[in-house]
């Protein structure tokens, strides 16, 4: 049987690896929990070998008695010997090592950090110069705000000396400094912000480079292999959110302060860590989250979690200077944790005092106004905002030049925030005070990520750039498909939120509701992931391990299915939104109504290409839409007569440079049935090309006073019917009439209806211009579970005393009950 290694041998291998600069990957969490059941030889036996230590390309140690060789695959699968019941103190030797794995010789042991760093800098630097955050859609960033704030310095108005802001002072003064430097360069004619954005953006770039370097340093702290370290760096280089945030927001500075404070904390440079936290709070409040992390770290250093064999095994891998003090085999507790924590808090406070002292001295009222604005902001882009009924982005109201301003939020919350705060505080305190070993880098980094997740879950507000606060922790702790899945899903939710919702679909509140709900659930999952790193025994339980392994696949599958559902709904919403916003909407709705009332497909000619492009997405499947007038410029384009030869009638909307030529060509071949004026658009004319037509077919009904109902459109939904009426008058109207729409049962009983002034009161009849078309929409609420079989829709007008206006059909016959039946 092979000779069994001792702890001293393991430590010797670790020292050799360190001297040679090789990586040694310790996975003590893979050791099984001690089995307290007694046995004759007081040993604990596992069922299968587990990987505990792996050495990268480390040669076998000497065969001397002090360092006997450790076989790779032939080590028996046994666990550490359980301490004897008769022993006065626990044993620290390990009789057998579960498994030692060596990386094949020749494997690459170098990271690509210095290879990637110039690529990272050049890529982001050129992006800063050549791109903008909004792309083709919109220039969407906070640089406009920074520019406006800094430009006030031209009037000797400076942040926190002459006005307040919703941010701490460091960023506003960086903007002022960048603006002053930009003044030395002549402004670019097309965009006066050019030099200001490049200078301030370069400052952001420097901090972003710092974030890249800190990810490398923290990867070393986590003892990631060179392969995994490269993966962390490549993922951060390639993911979109950090680049997006750098191009328009200052959050990369706050992220730098968080990562720097954490790195300095792990390297036991506590003063520097506290200063980094204080500076970070001077940029944004989020870096204050490192304070509870540091306090918990100090406590864990001097109050180890347990005396278990697992803890002793972990201690044996530490350098002697880093091991907790021991006395007679028991782990000692020291009061130094409170002293270190107090000094840490004092240093953070002194740093903040140095930052704020000039402003408190010269403008305390502005500092207080800033604090009030931060504390009194409303919810935005979170589940709390949706529950409050707010679907906008983060906005701070108030006059920044008024130090007594008190109105900062767009809406008042109806939620019990005292209860919400109590629940989240209780959850965090419960986790923070639970037993865990935060002297190790991995649990401490996970606890930092968990702290950020609790803040995000609790916070009233969220903006898409906030994703970069949690991405470093996802990449560091999950540099694999698991982390990539979380990163990509959260990135996709960001894109759906901005720009899809806020720019393209601002009326689709269902989309924002779905995004913030999905993100809230993923944050809960991430919080759980971080807790599983803090308490690794949970994920190794037989019942939970399969679920944990399959979670990324399940999350990715659900996200893909959700995207397949959301995309067509979003395209439909985009289509409807563009119709609502289109200046040609009246013509589109009118032609849709004409198409639905005519069995044969009608042809619509337009003489302008821009008009053709606006009409085509909405009418291509209902009308035969043709672009006319190109024959004078393009010889291959069909002439107007060729577009009229195979139809009996044609609609013409002449616009653009070719409108006169096209109108003349159509008028030569046909007679106008009806002309319809659309304000700010032009005249839509219906031509008959056969010479045989009924002039009365141009209208549906005529009311006294010259009012005509020329078309209508009916859409029936599950709980609502939308009836659209198209009115026109041939002479000025003196009366202010109301329109009624009703749904009647087969026996003439009223089912439901809607009355109101045309266009919801926006187009009263006494304001109508002659021959212009007015669109009047009525939404009729349908009673639940009511059958509409045999039902019919009627419409009409009545005066201010409720008397219906006399109405006749195009042939002069009167309609029953002075109501027009609509097909």
């Amino acid at each position: 049987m092979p000779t069994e290694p001792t702890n001293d041998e393991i430590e010797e291998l670790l020292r050799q690896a360190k001297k040679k600069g090789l990586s040694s990957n310790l996975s003590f969490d893979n050791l099984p929990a001690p089995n307290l059941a007694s046995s004759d030889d007081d040993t604990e036996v596992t069922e299968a070998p587990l990987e505990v230590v792996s050495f990268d390309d480390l040669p076998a140690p000497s065969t001397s008695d002090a360092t006997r060789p450790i076989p790779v695959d032939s080590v028996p699968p046994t666990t550490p010997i359980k301490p004897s019941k008769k022993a006065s103190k626990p044993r620290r030797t390990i009789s057998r090592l579960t498994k030692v794995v060596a990386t094949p010789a020749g494997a690459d042991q170098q990271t690509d950090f210095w290879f990637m760093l110039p690529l990272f800098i050049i890529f982001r630097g050129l992006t800063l110069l050549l791109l903008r955050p909004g792309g083709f859609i919109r220039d969407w960033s906070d640089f406009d705000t920074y520019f406006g704030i800094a430009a006030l310095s031209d009037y000797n108005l400076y942040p926190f000396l002459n006005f307040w802001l919703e941010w701490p002072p460091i960023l506003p003064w960086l903007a002022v400094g960048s603006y002053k430097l930009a003044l030395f360069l002549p402004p670019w004619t097309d965009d006066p912000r050019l030099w200001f954005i490049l200078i301030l953006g370069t400052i952001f770039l420097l901090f972003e480079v710092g974030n890249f370097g800190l990810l490398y340093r923290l990867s070393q702290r986590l003892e990631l292999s060179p392969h995994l370290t490269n993966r962390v760096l490549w993922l951060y280089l390639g993911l979109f959110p950090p680049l997006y945030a750098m191009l328009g927001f200052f959050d990369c500075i706050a992220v730098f302060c968080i990562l720097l404070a954490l790195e300095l904390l792990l390297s036991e440079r506590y003063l520097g860590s506290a200063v980094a936290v204080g500076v970070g709070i001077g940029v944004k409040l989020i870096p204050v989250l490192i304070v509870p992390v540091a306090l918990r770290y100090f406590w864990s250093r001097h109050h180890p979690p347990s005396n278990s064999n697992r803890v002793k095994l972990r201690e044996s891998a530490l350098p002697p200077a880093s091991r907790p003090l021991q006395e007679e085999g028991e782990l000692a507790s020291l009061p130094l944790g409170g002293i270190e924590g107090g000094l840490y808090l004092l240093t953070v406070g002194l740093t903040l005092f140095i930052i704020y002292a000039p402003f408190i001295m010269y403008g305390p009222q502005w500092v207080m106004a800033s604090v009030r604005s931060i504390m009194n902001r409303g919810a935005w882009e979170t589940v709390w905002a949706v529950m409050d009924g707010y679907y906008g982005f983060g906005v701070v109201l108030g006059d920044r030049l008024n130090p007594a301003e008190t109105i900062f939020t767009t809406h008042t919350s109806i939620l019990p925030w005292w209860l919400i705060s109590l629940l989240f505080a209780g959850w965090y305190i419960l986790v923070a005070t639970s037993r865990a070993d935060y002297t190790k880098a991995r649990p401490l980094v996970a606890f930092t990520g968990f702290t950020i997740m609790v803040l995000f879950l609790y916070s009233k507000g969220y903006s898409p750039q906030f994703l970069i606060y949690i991405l470093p922790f996802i990449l560091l702790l999950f540099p694999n498909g698991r982390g990539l899945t979380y990163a990509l899903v959260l990135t996709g939710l960001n894109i759906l939120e901005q720009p899809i919702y806020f720019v393209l679909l601002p009326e689709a509140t269902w989309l924002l509701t779905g995004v913030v709900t999905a993100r809230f659930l993923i944050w809960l999952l991430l919080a759980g992931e971080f807790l599983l790193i803090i308490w690794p025994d949970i994920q190794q339980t037989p019942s939970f391990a399969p679920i944990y392994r399959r979670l990324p696949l399940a999350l990715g599958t659900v996200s893909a299915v959700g995207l397949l559902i959301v995309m067509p709904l979003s395209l439909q919403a985009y289509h409807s939104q563009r119709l609502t916003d289109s200046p040609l909407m009246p013509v589109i709705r009118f032609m849709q109504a004409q198409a639905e009332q005519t069995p044969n497909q009608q042809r619509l000619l337009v003489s302008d290409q821009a008009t053709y492009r606006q009409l085509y997405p909405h009418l291509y499947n209902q009308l035969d839409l043709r672009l006319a007038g190109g024959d004078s410029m393009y010889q291959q384009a069909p002439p107007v007569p060729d577009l009229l030869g195979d139809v009996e009638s044609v609609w013409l909307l002449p616009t653009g440079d070719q409108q006169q030529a096209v109108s003349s060509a159509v008028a030569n071949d046909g007679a106008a049935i009806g002309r319809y004026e659309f304000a700010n658009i032009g005249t839509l004319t219906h031509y008959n090309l056969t010479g045989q037509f009924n002039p009365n077919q141009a209208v549906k009904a005529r009311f006294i006073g010259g009012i005509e109902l020329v078309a209508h459109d009916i859409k029936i939904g599950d709980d609502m019917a939308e009836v659209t009426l198209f009115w026109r008058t041939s002479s000025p109207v003196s009366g202010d009439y109301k329109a009624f729409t009703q749904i009647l049962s087969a026996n003439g009983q009223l089912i439901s209806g809607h009355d109101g002034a045309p266009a919801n009161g926006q187009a009263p009849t006494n304001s109508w211009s002659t021959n212009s078309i007015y669109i009047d929409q009525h939404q009729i609420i349908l009673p639940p579970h009511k059958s509409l079989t045999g039902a019919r829709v009627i419409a009409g007008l009545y005066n201010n005393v409720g008397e219906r206006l006399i109405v006749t059909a195009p042939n002069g016959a009167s309609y029953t009950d002075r109501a027009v039946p609509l097909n």
Side-chain angles (χ1 to χ4, degrees):
M1 178 175 291
T3 305
E4 298 167 353
T6 66
N7 270 6
D8 293 335
E9 294 168 347
I10 299 174
E11 292 179 10
E12 177 61 25
L13 287 174
L14 291 172
R15 282 193 291 270
Q16 289 186 35
K18 185 176 182 180
K19 289 179 181 178
K20 294 178 178 292
L22 302 177
S23 173
S24 54
N25 304 317
L26 283 72
S27 300
F28 289 113
D29 290 337
N30 286 336
L31 284 176
N35 183 2
L36 299 182
S38 62
S39 61
D40 294 337
D41 57 358
D42 287 335
T43 59
E44 300 160 0
V45 181
T46 58
E47 296 180 358
L50 299 172
E51 181 177 311
V52 177
V53 186
S54 62
F55 298 97
D56 297 332
D57 204 17
L58 182 65
S62 169
T63 58
S64 65
D65 292 339
T67 56
R68 291 187 297 272
I70 301 178
V72 174
D73 295 319
S74 61
V75 179
T78 57
T79 59
I81 293 180
K82 184 175 64 177
S84 172
K85 298 179 181 179
K86 299 179 181 180
S88 61
K89 57 183 179 180
R91 297 174 58 188
R92 295 193 57 210
T93 60
I94 303 176
S95 66
R96 292 179 181 138
L97 181 66
T98 306
K99 188 177 181 182
V100 178
V101 181
T103 302
D108 185 10
Q109 303 303 320
Q110 301 297 322
T111 65
D112 292 337
F113 175 75
W114 295 108
F115 174 77
M116 284 184 274
L117 182 60
L119 182 64
F120 182 88
I121 297 173
I122 293 172
F123 176 70
R124 276 164 167 72
L126 292 179
T127 302
L128 177 65
L129 177 65
L130 298 176
L131 298 181
R132 64 179 191 173
F136 284 109
I137 299 174
R138 184 177 296 173
D139 188 0
W140 186 286
S141 78
D142 279 352
F143 272 115
D144 286 332
T145 304
Y146 308 150
F147 185 74
I149 291 169
L152 292 176
S153 62
D154 292 338
Y155 302 97
N156 289 324
L157 298 175
Y158 293 93
F160 296 94
L161 299 179
N162 306 105
F163 58 91
W164 61 267
L165 289 170
E166 60 271 26
W167 305 304
I170 290 182
L171 181 277
W173 277 91
L174 284 176
V176 170
S178 301
Y179 180 79
K180 291 299 186 182
L181 288 176
L183 288 178
F184 290 101
L185 298 169
W188 176 245
T189 305
D190 291 345
D191 193 336
R193 306 171 305 162
L194 173 65
W195 294 113
F196 170 79
I197 290 179
L198 289 182
I199 294 173
L200 184 59
T202 300
I203 296 175
F204 293 171
L205 173 60
L206 293 176
F207 282 98
E208 182 68 352
V209 172
N211 291 335
F212 191 70
L214 286 169
L215 281 176
Y216 172 72
R217 291 285 297 170
L218 288 170
S219 297
Q220 303 302 302
R221 293 289 177 196
L222 292 172
E223 299 181 350
L224 297 182
S225 67
H227 171 68
L228 292 180
T229 299
N230 287 337
R231 185 178 290 175
V232 169
L233 298 177
W234 278 117
L235 287 173
Y236 192 78
L237 193 153
L239 285 172
F240 179 72
L243 180 64
Y244 169 79
M246 188 202 77
L247 291 178
F249 309 92
F250 68 93
D251 295 84
C252 59
I253 304 178
V255 172
F256 173 83
C257 294
I258 291 174
L259 297 180
L260 179 62
L262 185 58
E263 155 64 20
L264 294 175
L265 185 66
L266 288 170
S267 62
E268 299 186 3
R269 289 180 284 179
Y270 306 138
L271 180 62
S273 176
V275 171
V277 172
V279 173
I281 299 173
V283 176
K284 198 162 188 169
L285 291 184
I286 293 180
V288 75
L289 297 178
I290 295 295
V291 171
V293 173
L295 296 179
R296 187 61 179 87
Y297 167 77
F298 295 139
W299 179 265
S300 187
R301 272 176 53 85
H302 302 290
H303 297 78
S306 71
N307 294 345
S308 68
N309 287 343
R310 179 186 298 271
V311 173
K312 294 179 182 298
L313 179 59
R314 291 179 178 178
E315 290 169 11
S316 67
L318 290 175
S322 301
R323 299 178 190 172
L325 298 180
Q326 300 179 4
E327 182 177 351
E328 295 300 322
E330 297 295 332
L331 297 173
S333 296
L334 297 179
L336 296 179
I339 297 175
E340 291 172 334
L343 291 175
Y344 196 91
L345 289 174
L346 179 62
T347 305
V348 171
L350 287 175
T351 305
L352 282 173
F353 176 77
I354 293 172
I355 294 172
Y356 273 94
F359 309 110
I360 295 175
M361 183 180 301
Y362 294 102
Q365 69 276 22
W366 304 111
V367 175
M368 292 306 300
S370 175
V371 172
R372 290 197 304 271
S373 71
I374 294 173
M375 300 302 296
N376 295 320
R377 291 194 67 174
W380 77 96
E381 301 178 52
T382 60
V383 292
W384 316 116
V386 170
M387 293 169 69
D388 277 335
Y390 180 69
Y391 299 94
F393 49 82
V395 176
V396 178
L397 302 181
D399 181 5
R400 290 190 173 96
L401 298 175
N402 178 15
E405 182 63 74
T406 58
I407 301 175
F408 305 105
T409 183
T410 57
H411 63 286
T412 302
S413 179
I414 60 175
L415 301 176
W417 274 103
W418 65 270
L419 179 59
I420 296 172
S421 302
L422 186 63
L423 291 174
F424 276 96
W427 180 31
Y428 185 74
I429 292 173
L430 179 65
V431 172
T433 56
S434 297
R435 181 167 297 182
D437 187 3
Y438 292 115
T439 61
K440 305 298 187 297
R442 186 169 173 82
L444 188 68
V445 172
F447 184 58
T448 308
F450 172 76
T451 302
I452 295 175
M453 280 292 83
V454 172
L455 174 68
F456 280 8
L457 288 165
Y458 167 73
S459 176
K460 293 181 180 180
Y462 175 85
S463 296
Q465 67 270 18
F466 289 4
L467 178 56
I468 67 170
Y469 289 98
I470 197 61
L471 272 183
F473 299 94
I474 295 176
L475 301 183
L476 287 169
L477 297 172
F478 311 109
N480 48 32
R482 192 179 209 90
L484 182 61
T485 299
Y486 279 114
L488 292 181
V489 171
L490 289 171
T491 299
L493 292 175
N494 266 11
I495 299 302
L496 287 175
E497 182 176 18
Q498 158 56 35
I500 302 260
Y501 169 72
F502 280 114
V503 178
L504 299 179
L505 304 173
E507 302 299 324
T509 56
W510 60 268
L511 179 58
L512 182 65
T513 301
V515 166
V516 301
T517 302
R519 185 165 55 225
F520 188 86
L521 295 176
I522 292 174
W523 284 345
L524 284 174
L525 282 177
L526 270 174
E529 292 269 14
F530 294 141
L531 290 178
L532 290 175
I533 294 175
I534 297 172
W535 303 317
D537 291 342
I538 300 176
Q539 62 177 285
Q540 296 173 10
T541 58
S543 59
F544 184 76
I547 299 175
Y548 181 76
R549 288 196 303 269
R550 293 182 175 90
L551 182 60
L553 178 61
L555 178 61
T557 302
V558 171
S559 300
V561 172
L563 187 63
L564 292 176
I565 297 173
V566 167
M567 288 308 298
L569 294 176
S570 298
L571 288 174
Q572 183 179 2
Y574 174 79
H575 193 280
S576 300
Q577 186 66 41
R578 297 282 68 77
L579 174 59
T580 302
D581 296 339
S582 173
L584 295 176
M585 187 270 289
V587 172
I588 295 171
R589 294 299 303 271
F590 181 79
M591 291 308 303
Q592 287 175 338
Q594 294 294 334
E596 291 181 2
Q597 297 177 44
T598 304
N600 298 324
Q601 188 179 53
Q602 302 190 58
R603 179 168 295 173
L604 172 62
L605 302 183
V606 294
S607 57
D608 178 66
Q609 193 173 29
T611 303
Y612 176 82
R613 290 170 178 162
Q614 293 185 63
L615 293 176
Y616 190 86
H618 306 287
L619 298 177
Y620 73 93
N621 60 343
Q622 296 174 293
L623 298 173
D624 181 13
L625 186 63
R626 303 290 185 93
L627 176 61
D631 51 301
S632 61
M633 297 178 291
Y634 307 107
Q635 297 299 321
Q636 302 301 321
V640 173
D642 289 355
L643 299 176
L644 306 177
D646 58 344
V647 292
E648 296 181 355
S649 66
V650 67
W651 294 84
L652 173 64
L653 181 63
T655 57
D657 297 337
Q658 300 295 314
Q659 60 178 309
Q660 187 60 46
V662 174
S663 297
S664 299
V666 176
N668 290 335
D669 285 1
I673 302 174
R675 300 181 187 275
Y676 309 92
E677 298 288 341
F678 291 89
N680 303 319
I681 299 175
T683 302
L684 177 68
T685 306
H686 191 194
Y687 287 93
N688 181 278
L689 304 177
T690 64
Q692 299 178 358
F693 65 96
N694 181 359
N696 292 323
Q697 70 186 59
V699 297
K700 179 70 176 178
R702 291 189 174 92
F703 294 81
I704 60 171
I707 297 177
E708 298 174 336
L709 179 63
V710 296
H712 71 274
D713 182 33
I714 301 175
K715 289 182 172 58
I716 304 293
D718 294 334
D719 56 358
M720 182 180 298
E722 184 180 272
V723 179
T724 304
L725 307 175
F726 298 86
W727 302 103
R728 180 180 64 178
T729 180
S730 58
S731 60
V733 180
S734 58
D736 184 11
Y737 304 124
K738 302 290 191 301
F740 67 88
T741 55
Q742 297 178 353
I743 300 178
L744 305 180
S745 64
N747 58 6
Q749 298 297 314
L750 177 65
I751 295 177
S752 186
H754 179 269
D755 295 12
N760 198 26
Q762 300 300 311
T765 55
N766 54 15
S767 68
W768 288 357
S769 300
T770 56
N771 298 322
S772 294
I773 297 295
Y774 294 92
I775 299 178
D776 179 24
Q777 291 184 338
H778 295 261
Q779 293 181 338
I780 303 176
I781 304 298
L782 300 177
H785 312 298
K786 182 69 174 181
S787 175
L788 297 181
T789 303
R792 54 195 177 93
V793 182
I794 62 173
L797 296 170
Y798 61 88
N799 56 26
N800 55 5
V801 296
E803 181 182 7
R804 292 182 179 183
L805 300 189
I806 298 174
V807 58
T808 60
N811 60 6
S814 297
Y815 282 120
T816 305
D817 297 328
R818 298 184 178 182
V820 182
L822 306 179
N823 296 331

